[in-house]
Amino acid sequence: MTPDTMTKISAGLETAFARHGFATPSVEDLRDAASVSLRTLYKYLPSRADMVLAALQHRHQRYLAHLFDGLPPNTAPDTTPETALTHLIRRVGSWMQTETAHGCLFHGAVAADPQNQALKDLLQRHKAEVAQRAASVSSLEGHELALLQIFEGLTQTWALHPEASIKTAEHLAGLLQAAKDQART
């Protein structure tokens, strides 16, 4: 398995599932989205479940890169844990604006195949890693669940209230930071 071929397939599948959902695309549609032959598609990913997992694993890596790559370090002169969290919230908003306005693709995959334990495990790993990394850059270790709820609320309300959802998430993050700061004193 060559990494370039697998990346190409996974990227194409991610795009197809994000645009059309998990039930609609036929195998031929998925083959076309992956830009490979049906034989190659099945060689790398022998089942539809494998295709969904590969697409979501690819999306997981892209999402982490979008949120955390190039984030100003807390050691930068004008960067505090609060501003790092604000940057993250705005990056979630920009992801929603450019990638999807329909909520979380990971939740959509689990909803489409609720008995698939591998999908549930990937959803849990994805959310945990985002929350853990967000807590680390914002100095909110121990508040991962609260951060996850802020991010999840943002992604779920985005379709109805794009700008207001960002402002609300920033406000809630500020309250969380203030509560943490107050608990230390």
Side-chain angles (χ1 to χ4, degrees):
M1 174 182 336
T2 64
D4 291 342
T5 302
M6 189 60 187
T7 299
K8 176 180 147 182
I9 291 170
S10 298
L13 294 173
E14 178 198 351
T15 299
F17 291 131
R19 285 187 184 150
H20 307 292
F22 295 97
T24 302
S26 67
V27 174
E28 290 76 18
D29 294 334
L30 297 174
R31 173 205 61 209
D32 293 347
S35 301
V36 295
S37 69
L38 197 55
R39 182 177 179 183
T40 300
L41 180 60
Y42 277 121
K43 174 184 171 188
Y44 285 89
L45 301 165
S47 72
R48 189 178 193 94
D50 292 329
M51 293 176 202
V52 171
L53 282 170
L56 291 176
Q57 288 166 344
H58 185 262
R59 191 171 187 90
H60 172 69
Q61 293 306 317
R62 284 190 338 100
Y63 189 70
L64 291 178
H66 181 84
L67 290 188
F68 298 103
D69 286 3
L71 195 63
N74 284 344
T75 57
D78 61 341
T79 303
T80 64
E82 293 84 1
T83 59
L85 189 53
T86 298
H87 282 290
L88 284 176
I89 289 168
R90 290 179 184 168
R91 286 180 177 197
V92 171
S94 73
W95 176 271
M96 295 303 294
Q97 185 174 30
T98 60
E99 297 293 329
T100 183
H102 308 292
C104 176
L105 195 62
F106 293 85
H107 284 293
V110 171
D113 189 2
Q115 302 307 313
N116 187 323
Q117 190 60 47
L119 284 177
K120 290 178 183 179
D121 292 345
L122 181 56
L123 169 66
Q124 185 171 352
R125 181 175 64 90
H126 171 70
K127 299 301 182 180
E129 189 168 348
V130 169
Q132 181 181 42
R133 290 180 71 176
S136 177
V137 301
S138 62
S139 300
L140 284 167
E141 292 87 352
H143 298 280
E144 289 82 2
L145 183 58
L147 288 167
L148 181 61
Q149 287 184 307
I150 291 169
F151 284 21
E152 290 296 294
L154 172 55
T155 61
Q156 293 305 309
T157 58
W158 174 265
L160 298 173
H161 309 285
E163 293 303 316
S165 63
I166 291 173
K167 293 201 178 306
T168 300
E170 289 174 346
H171 176 73
L172 293 171
L175 293 174
L176 182 60
Q177 286 280 357
K180 180 197 145 228
D181 293 344
Q182 188 175 24
R184 276 195 285 169
T185 58

